Amino acid sequence: MRVGVFFGGQSREREISFAGGRTVYDNLNKSIFEPIPIFIDSLGNFILLDWEYIYKGTVRDFFPPTQIYPPSLSNYQLYIESIRSEDQVNQAIELIGKKIQPEDFSSFFDFAFLALHGPYGEDGNLQGLLEWYHIPYSGSGILPSAIGINKTIQKGIMERAGFSTPSYSIVSRAAWEAEPYEVIEDVLSVLDLPLVVKAPNQGSSIGISIVNDKSELLKAINHSFFIEIVDLVDWKSKSQEAKENWISQLIDIREGTGLPAYINGDKVVYHPDELMKSLNEAEGESLELSPLNSEEEVLIESFIAGREFSCIVIQDEEGKPIALPPTEIVKSKTLFDYRSKYLPGISRKVTPIDLANEEIERIRKECEHLFSVLHCQVYARIDGFYTPNGDIYLNDPNTTSGMLPSSFFFHQAAEVNLTPTDFLTYIIRTSLKERIKTGKRNLAMRKLLSILEDSIADDLSDSEGAKKVAVIMGGFSSERHISVESGRNIFEKLNATKQYLPVPVFLTGTEQNHQLYILPINVMLKDNADDIRSKVEEIDNTHPLIEKIRKEVLSTTEIYSNNRYEGITPINYQELSRKVEFAFIALHGRPGEDGAIQQHLEKYHIPYNGSGVKSSQTTINKAQTNKLLKANGLSVANHRLLQKSDFETNELNTIEEIEKSAVYPFIAKPADDGCSSAVKKINNREELIAYSKMIFRPLDEDRDPESVEILKLQPKEEFPIKSYFMVEDLIDRKGADHFLEVTGGMLTHIDENQNISYQVFEPSEALASGEVLSLEEKFLAGEGQNITPARFSSDKEKNKWVSSQVRAELEKVARILNVEGYCRIDAFVRIYENKVETIIIEVNSLPGMTPATCIFHQSAIADMKPYEFINEIINYGYAKSKRSLQTH
């Protein structure tokens, strides 16, 4: 069956939709479905997307393409609506795919899987269009979708149906613009603080604020209307850099107004430079910015003090709603915001919510009842609060849940033994059954359903011959959460094919004692590494309510999966060698990239991915790597090491010694671990001391609040504890005509004569929003910007020449370090008129393999889909192991 995966869209949630669409595209069972990527741009165009663009990190990484970017004073991230020329928009579409019309949908796909969020995708608009053109689609129909998007309408329906709802007030835009202070008084006359202010047609916590004081209400309501009041006196006092940073935040569609925007409800600005010019030239005390698409109402509710939960409700074979085990969201702060939702390790998801069984059942029954009241179909995600008094408040039912790999959507389905691939098959089949009930082209849909059911049955009975691959994830370093994301991604890519049978293996313990556990699917899909570790420490402690729910849905789940829950299984390396044929190490930093695991795997002759022991031991040590590369004529940053023993003996003397050899600002980072945490630009002595205190703190000591403040660390930002760290010269332009940061991936091959060749991909250009690339920008969907291939020059021939020079240097690095399998090398590039200088920053022998990581963008340009790239890595691992055995 050809499945059109619809993603992107016109709403503020387009980046999460884009990432979710990629998840669906990758996880659809390739034995049953052919996924067809249908990207909807922010102008509403339907684009049959060339597959390689699915693996970009964000929409902004490829659309609009760099070829048609208008000249800009700064590297602002733009969406296509900032391009005003219709010819340029059409040119942009031609560069990434083919524009298609709804009347032609049936020639491209048989079924539409909707991974869209917010207005235009989750509100019944697209559902109606698809029904008009006789295309069956996933999820709820027109009516429940229209209700599900509008929080104000939901309130009235829920009240009439007898659900508990917080007290609320609705503010119209007209009243707000006429008399804002009068509106505030009216709100406070009927509602007590604290309050929750919501944009009623948005999801992903966009446009939501919690207000504890009257003085915050004006800003919060403007925020929900996406209105920005600019204080022009303050604006004109800002530095140019501060102005550029402010505009970058303003045009972020998740929180700011975005572009295009009205100035004082009149003039429309499309480009950030245009906005900068308008603000600089504006007169008066203030002006108002507001988006072209804005809210007409704002919903204000009394704050519910309680435990927040989310519950997926699905239909069984008879169409009866069944609530899966509700998940409690344990937040690091009051609001479950965008970052908390989508970056692993920031919040915790506890399934089921830690309450008495009868209370969990009450929550489930309430969710099932609301599913029925709103006429939802197939599945829905229902959020709510459980108060200390035992009251249950439901809010914000979503007819299209977020579909990132660790979302509630897959997380709760895994509790009833459905892998992401199984669950997507369930949704397509159940959606087809629901569309048949409309009586529109139902005979054709019955035929399609019959073919699908035969395919599902055949696939379930045909699972022999697949190679067992242990996917090792987790670890105990500061990169453990990203390692889990990488491991899940590898698991899911392999699981959607018949060639491999992936086995999730979680590693924890210590450097001296690696503890391994084979995981069932529900534990592998816990939110982060710490949640998984807490489950493996319990070993055999399945919640009795989950057992009950599994039995309730068994008649449904057994159609899609013969995967039975086997529990958590402790295992050692020797036992692992008898269970699997290959080990895919999805760990980052220590252990994983340091050769430790490789030694164990080699001892028991288990083939594995990536470099061997000696090469891994070298590349994990940044100081040793730099020394070796410098000795072989490559450019690296000057560095020196700061030891904990020296710092503790004489703090001032140690700091002064560093200051003699390094000029502020410089870079501080761990010298023997991965690259994703604790890399900081140090601007002064105060920051250097704060960094030293953080990285040298005792194991049992909390983080020093003053140091956290000085270094501007995010809540729950990982910061490892080490006995030494590296101070490195800040690499700058140094008079170059063009200067950029790149990251380059590569793949190695072995020919029949056992010769190794290196396939170096086109590097990506990394754009940091801050002083250095953050964890979010590297790995979080919708964050950061990686332009692939890198923009070395606007002149085609020079760009090609520079790229060849850079790639030659990266290959030289890999050969000197004897890197094998694959790797990622980070570097800065200085481009002069007739010279290119590549300064190596870091070599990652096991680079991140999360869905959004740029090594997949690069392999896509080399015409390899992620699964094909992973398959090449595995094939090389087999060949390397075979060569090693022959040598010995």
Side-chain angles (χ1 to χ4, degrees), residues 76 210 213-214 251 254 288 355 378 493 604 611 685 712 780 872:
Y76 292 114
I210 293 175
D213 188 89
K214 179 181 177 179
I251 64 176
R254 294 162 304 175
E288 178 185 295
L355 292 170
V378 188
K493 296 285 193 297
Y604 296 106
S611 296
R685 178 180 286 191
K712 298 180 176 63
L780 175 58
E872 288 283 343

Side-chain angles (χ1 to χ4, degrees), residues 382-666:
I382 297 172
D383 301 333
F385 293 88
Y386 180 89
T387 73
N389 296 328
D391 297 324
I392 297 168
Y393 290 89
L394 302 182
N395 69 312
D396 197 18
N398 288 265
T399 52
T400 303
S401 176
M403 295 181 189
L404 268 67
S406 61
S407 69
F408 297 113
F409 183 71
F410 296 122
H411 177 94
Q412 292 180 19
E415 296 290 358
V416 293
N417 292 319
L418 293 176
T419 67
T421 295
D422 299 331
F423 195 33
L424 294 175
T425 304
Y426 157 83
I427 286 170
I428 293 172
R429 176 176 173 268
T430 310
S431 298
L432 256 179
K433 290 172 71 177
E434 285 300 315
R435 302 294 86 85
I436 287 169
K437 292 177 184 177
T438 66
K440 302 171 187 174
R441 297 288 285 260
N442 50 331
L443 293 180
M445 289 191 200
R446 284 186 190 280
K447 184 178 179 182
L448 191 62
L449 177 63
S450 176
I451 294 168
L452 174 59
E453 290 180 335
D454 288 345
S455 297
I456 292 170
D458 290 345
D459 184 71
L460 206 59
S461 62
D462 179 26
S463 57
E464 296 298 319
K467 294 178 181 176
K468 286 189 175 180
V469 175
V471 182
I472 304 176
M473 63 188 85
F476 36 80
S477 78
S478 58
E479 296 180 86
R480 62 195 180 280
H481 303 308
I482 297 302
S483 166
V484 167
E485 288 285 293
S486 288
R488 278 199 284 247
N489 189 42
I490 298 298
F491 175 93
E492 290 168 2
K493 296 285 193 297
L494 299 180
N495 189 56
T497 74
K498 284 292 181 188
Q499 187 174 355
Y500 297 105
L501 181 63
V503 178
V505 176
F506 183 73
L507 184 146
T508 186
T510 64
E511 297 277 4
Q512 295 74 33
N513 179 25
H514 293 178
Q515 297 170 13
L516 305 176
Y517 300 87
I518 294 178
L519 302 178
I521 185 69
N522 68 317
V523 177
M524 185 195 77
L525 285 178
K526 295 297 179 190
D527 189 53
N528 58 63
D530 294 345
D531 284 357
I532 294 174
R533 189 182 66 233
S534 68
K535 293 302 291 185
V536 301
E537 287 170 354
E538 296 173 13
I539 297 291
D540 187 22
N541 191 18
T542 302
H543 197 285
L545 194 63
I546 288 180
E547 292 283 12
K548 175 181 179 292
I549 297 170
R550 284 180 188 152
K551 290 174 183 174
E552 285 180 29
V553 297
L554 184 60
S555 62
T556 299
T557 56
E558 65 185 0
I559 295 168
Y560 308 96
S561 173
N562 51 20
N563 215 357
R564 290 292 165 262
Y565 181 85
E566 296 179 2
I568 298 162
T569 308
I571 194 169
N572 58 39
Y573 286 106
Q574 185 174 12
E575 291 165 339
L576 189 67
S577 70
R578 295 194 286 266
K579 282 187 173 288
V580 301
E581 299 164 64
F582 190 91
F584 197 106
I585 309 168
L587 296 153
H588 309 309
R590 291 181 184 271
E593 288 187 80
D594 59 353
I597 289 172
Q598 291 83 343
Q599 286 179 317
H600 289 290
L601 296 174
E602 287 184 7
K603 179 179 179 180
Y604 296 106
H605 309 297
I606 306 173
Y608 60 86
N609 57 306
S611 296
V613 175
K614 288 184 179 178
S615 176
S616 299
Q617 289 171 338
T618 301
T619 55
I620 194 68
N621 187 319
K622 297 180 180 69
Q624 188 178 339
T625 298
N626 278 4
K627 186 177 178 181
L628 186 56
L629 294 178
K630 192 172 184 179
N632 282 273
L634 285 113
S635 296
V636 296
N638 292 323
H639 74 270
R640 67 283 304 150
L641 299 177
L642 197 158
Q643 302 285 344
K644 180 179 181 179
S645 55
D646 294 337
F647 183 79
E648 289 180 336
T649 302
N650 193 326
E651 177 184 314
L652 180 60
N653 184 61
T654 304
I655 297 298
E656 287 176 344
E657 285 298 314
I658 290 292
E659 290 173 335
K660 285 178 187 176
S661 59
V663 178
Y664 294 112
F666 49 73

Side-chain angles (χ1 to χ4, degrees), residues 7-175:
F7 59 115
Q10 302 178 65
S11 82
R12 292 174 178 271
E13 297 177 85
R14 68 189 71 151
E15 294 290 5
I16 289 303
S17 168
F18 177 72
R22 175 173 54 228
T23 306
V24 174
Y25 182 89
D26 277 342
N27 281 280
L28 283 174
N29 188 327
K30 304 306 184 296
S31 301
I32 301 174
F33 305 111
E34 179 191 356
I36 310 292
I38 307 296
F39 172 65
I40 304 178
D41 73 10
S42 43
L43 298 173
N45 295 302
F46 296 98
I47 302 168
L48 180 64
L49 194 66
D50 293 343
W51 67 263
E52 62 265 31
Y53 294 106
I54 296 167
Y55 298 106
K56 299 295 186 182
T58 73
V59 172
R60 293 160 295 182
D61 285 356
F62 70 94
F63 197 69
T66 55
Q67 297 95 312
I68 67 157
Y69 249 59
S72 175
L73 300 173
S74 301
N75 285 317
Y76 292 114
Q77 296 181 321
L78 301 178
Y79 286 106
I80 193 67
E81 54 264 48
S82 288
I83 308 294
R84 299 181 65 178
S85 162
E86 188 175 341
D87 287 342
Q88 281 194 314
V89 170
N90 289 331
Q91 182 189 351
I93 292 171
E94 288 171 8
L95 287 167
I96 65 165
K98 174 185 175 182
K99 186 175 179 178
I100 60 175
Q101 299 299 331
E103 59 264 30
D104 299 322
F105 281 174
S106 61
S107 63
F108 295 104
F109 51 85
D110 311 301
F111 181 93
F113 196 106
L114 307 184
L116 295 153
H117 305 302
Y120 300 106
E122 202 175 345
D123 59 359
N125 279 3
L126 185 56
Q127 289 81 355
L129 182 70
L130 292 165
E131 289 198 11
W132 186 266
Y133 288 104
H134 313 300
I135 303 290
Y137 55 86
S138 62
S140 287
I142 299 167
L143 175 63
S145 298
I147 296 170
I149 196 65
N150 192 304
K151 297 178 177 71
T152 306
I153 290 174
Q154 291 165 19
K155 284 288 178 191
I157 293 173
M158 291 172 68
E159 278 185 322
R160 290 190 291 274
F163 288 93
S164 297
T165 63
S167 301
Y168 66 95
S169 179
I170 296 168
V171 175
S172 73
R173 189 183 185 96

Side-chain angles (χ1 to χ4, degrees), residues 212-409:
N212 294 294
D213 188 89
K214 179 181 177 179
S215 62
E216 302 168 3
L217 206 46
L218 180 74
K219 184 178 179 180
I221 296 175
N222 276 333
H223 176 63
S224 292
F225 278 124
F226 299 100
I227 293 171
E228 183 73 31
I229 305 298
V230 185
D231 182 327
L232 292 174
V233 176
D234 177 61
W235 171 260
K236 288 174 181 177
S237 70
K238 292 179 185 290
S239 67
Q240 182 63 22
E241 183 182 3
K243 287 179 177 180
E244 289 175 2
N245 290 339
W246 186 89
I247 286 179
S248 292
Q249 292 172 358
L250 181 95
I251 64 176
D252 184 334
I253 56 171
R254 294 162 304 175
E255 292 298 327
T257 62
L259 289 179
Y262 289 107
I263 295 180
N264 292 331
D266 182 20
K267 178 185 175 183
V268 181
V269 291
Y270 291 84
H271 191 278
D273 290 349
E274 200 181 343
L275 176 59
M276 175 79 78
K277 184 173 184 291
S278 296
L279 290 173
N280 284 339
E281 294 175 354
E283 296 180 354
E285 294 182 1
S286 66
L287 59 73
E288 178 185 295
L289 295 170
S290 59
L292 270 60
N293 294 314
S294 57
E295 299 283 351
E296 279 299 305
E297 293 179 335
V298 163
L299 178 64
I300 304 178
E301 297 177 336
S302 294
F303 178 79
I304 302 296
R307 296 162 68 172
E308 190 170 356
F309 63 83
S310 191
C311 185
I312 302 291
V313 181
I314 64 173
Q315 287 180 205
D316 68 9
E317 285 302 286
E318 283 71 48
K320 174 189 170 188
I322 298 182
L324 299 181
T327 299
E328 180 176 4
I329 303 143
V330 182
K331 306 179 289 292
S332 60
K333 51 186 175 181
T334 308
L335 181 62
F336 190 43
D337 63 6
Y338 189 94
R339 185 172 183 267
S340 300
K341 278 187 176 180
Y342 300 118
L343 184 64
I346 302 302
S347 60
R348 291 189 63 227
K349 298 180 179 124
V350 178
T351 307
I353 184 171
D354 187 16
L355 292 170
N357 284 1
E358 57 269 22
E359 295 305 293
I360 301 175
E361 287 288 36
R362 281 183 60 220
I363 290 172
R364 292 184 64 223
K365 295 308 173 192
E366 283 283 281
C367 292
E368 290 168 358
H369 182 39
L370 183 56
F371 186 95
S372 299
V373 165
L374 298 180
H375 304 283
C376 295
Q377 295 153 349
V378 188
Y379 75 95
R381 194 193 84 223
I382 297 172
D383 301 333
F385 293 88
Y386 180 89
T387 73
N389 296 328
D391 297 324
I392 297 168
Y393 290 89
L394 302 182
N395 69 312
D396 197 18
N398 288 265
T399 52
T400 303
S401 176
M403 295 181 189
L404 268 67
S406 61
S407 69
F408 297 113
F409 183 71

